[in-house]
Amino acid sequence: MLTDHTTLSQFLIEERRRFPEATGDFSALIIDVGLACKAIARRVANGALGGVLGQAGSTNIQGEAQQKLDVIANDVFIRANEWGGQLAGMASEEMDMPWVIPARYPRGKYLLLFDPLDGSSNIDVNAPVGSIFSILRAPNPGVEPRTEDFLQPGTKQVCAGYAIYGPSTMLVITVGTGVHGFTLDPQLGEFILTHPRIKMPPTTQEFAINASNARFWEPAVKRYVDECLEGKTGPRAKDFNMRWIASLVGDTHRILIRGGVFMYPRDTRDPGKPGKLRLMYEANPIAMIAEQAGGLATTGQDRILDVKPTKLHQRIALIFGSREEVERIEAYHRDHS
Ligand code: AHG
Ligand code: MN
Ligand code: MN
Ligand code: MN
């Protein structure tokens, strides 16, 4: 029975009762991921006082200059999850190769993929950042996975979620039975169920895109945004607002709560680069959450969750949000193909 003081642990136990064969490993894994997010939330909250601002002086496989908090958050995820015996392996935005579970720990039946600190450009300016995670089943439980074992389409995710480190810290997860939001009670150190069964509004008057890339957009995206900008007098016959937090988690959470559409489309700058965001630990988990909340998530042409991955850090175009808006953008892509 979900009360208004349901903790994350209680929620997971209640969910587990629906699957008699469940062993509790899955719940234990999500609790460990939740602990990692609580630990990161504390480091983020300390800001300059905790020595977490600024660059680490290293570059990741993405070619990005790592922020200190990128590296700290990555280490926190590894330490909180490598020992529990639920994982066969882990992969991260911040690590070239998957993390090998040390021999002193048992290996389990899941794979954890994560973006340990999303929105790194926001760290030093005290704007919202987050962590994003995705859980897959390991093809060979208990055995060190090959990189290709991670390359499963988003439909294979058994859990997806994010933590948002904002005015409050929240954990938003789906295990395939809807989307549920938990708010961290810092005194108790517990995530409390505050947003059960989140439903994304199917329509919106708010879009999110980095408008400085307009000259590179595909025709369908250009047409969609131009029509939003024409407002009441244009074909949409309503005015639109624009928001861009430059943190996928921040834009996602707003869209989940009040509707909207997020676009980081492929652009013509680099035909070899199908988009900026990463499929395995950004687009896939966010797409599962969007769909579980009644929204849609697409590359513009294809459903994100159906994309067959070929590389661990592959990039992809990501358009997601209120169902009617995403359907409109997909229709424009068909018109212009
Ligand atoms: P990360 O900080 O994990 O590298 O992700 C940053 C991503 C995403 O969070 C955000 O939506 C996008 O980059 C912002 O891109 P621009 O800075 O190009 O607007
Ligand atoms: Mn990110
Ligand atoms: Mn990141
Ligand atoms: Mn990054």
Side-chain angles (χ1 to χ4, degrees):
M1 155 69 175
L2 298 183
T3 68
D4 56 359
H5 293 291
T6 299
T7 63
L8 177 61
S9 313
Q10 195 176 346
F11 170 81
L12 292 169
I13 289 167
E14 305 259 354
E15 282 294 296
R16 198 169 90 211
R17 287 185 179 140
R18 303 154 61 129
F19 306 95
E21 74 290 352
T23 61
D25 285 356
F26 184 63
S27 305
L29 172 55
I30 297 175
I31 293 296
D32 290 345
V33 170
L35 177 65
C37 295
K38 287 190 273 193
I40 294 167
R42 277 190 55 230
R43 301 300 298 266
V44 169
N46 289 342
L49 300 175
V52 297
L53 304 188
Q55 297 207 347
S58 45
T59 305
N60 63 16
I61 181 115
Q62 326 286 340
E64 300 165 338
Q66 287 178 305
Q67 301 299 302
K68 287 178 189 166
L69 204 51
D70 285 324
V71 177
I72 291 167
N74 189 65
D75 290 348
V76 167
F77 257 88
I78 298 289
R79 301 284 163 263
N81 289 287
E82 66 175 349
W83 64 275
Q86 284 86 30
L87 292 177
M90 294 185 238
S92 163
E93 176 198 349
E94 303 303 336
M95 297 188 297
D96 303 9
M97 299 304 290
W99 177 260
V100 176
I101 304 287
R104 65 182 178 279
Y105 299 131
R107 282 199 180 86
K109 56 189 171 192
Y110 297 106
L111 299 174
L112 176 65
L113 300 93
F114 52 92
D115 172 358
L117 203 290
D118 173 66
S120 304
S121 64
N122 283 348
I123 296 169
D124 289 0
V125 297
N126 202 20
V129 293
S131 302
I132 309 172
F133 60 91
S134 168
I135 300 175
L136 298 168
R137 284 193 182 81
N140 301 305
V143 173
E144 183 182 324
R146 302 159 308 157
T147 300
E148 46 270 39
D149 291 343
F150 289 85
L151 303 184
Q152 302 176 37
T155 46
K156 297 287 188 188
Q157 293 174 104
V158 291
C159 174
Y162 61 81
I164 177 166
Y165 312 117
S168 65
T169 289
M170 283 190 70
L171 184 73
V172 174
I173 62 167
T174 179
V175 295
T177 60
V179 177
H180 309 284
F182 299 79
T183 302
L184 180 64
D185 176 333
Q187 278 69 42
L188 210 52
E190 283 284 357
F191 280 113
I192 305 296
L193 181 64
T194 50
H195 298 65
R197 295 176 293 281
I198 300 175
K199 281 292 168 212
M200 185 189 293
T203 62
T204 184
Q205 289 181 241
E206 199 159 65
F207 67 92
I209 194 164
N210 179 338
S212 69
N213 298 325
R215 62 190 181 284
F216 302 118
W217 293 340
E218 299 168 298
V221 171
K222 186 91 180 61
R223 175 178 165 193
Y224 176 81
V225 173
D226 285 346
E227 288 182 357
C228 290
L229 296 178
E230 286 179 62
K232 275 198 184 69
T233 57
R236 301 302 310 274
K238 59 182 178 178
D239 288 339
F240 277 76
N241 192 21
M242 196 201 95
R243 284 285 182 274
W244 186 252
I245 298 183
S247 151
L248 174 58
V249 168
D251 286 311
T252 299
H253 196 67
R254 184 192 62 255
I255 290 167
L256 203 53
I257 299 299
R258 71 180 188 212
V261 59
F262 174 101
M263 294 162 277
Y264 213 115
R266 71 173 302 130
D267 66 37
T268 55
R269 228 172 318 196
D270 175 355
K273 199 171 154 190
K276 172 179 183 179
L277 300 177
R278 283 57 56 114
L279 173 62
M280 296 309 295
Y281 38 79
E282 288 178 314
N284 269 343
I286 296 303
M288 182 177 181
I289 287 171
E291 288 198 2
Q292 284 287 316
L296 291 174
T298 177
T299 64
Q301 282 86 8
D302 304 307
R303 181 190 182 213
I304 291 283
L305 295 182
D306 288 337
V307 173
K308 179 70 185 90
T310 53
K311 290 201 298 278
L312 191 57
H313 298 289
Q314 77 184 70
R315 296 173 187 266
I316 194 139
L318 175 60
I319 294 168
F320 74 90
S322 296
R323 175 170 290 275
E324 290 183 19
E325 296 306 311
V326 176
E327 284 169 344
R328 176 181 288 267
I329 297 168
E330 287 182 312
Y332 291 177
H333 269 91
R334 286 191 295 274
D335 293 349
H336 293 271
S337 56

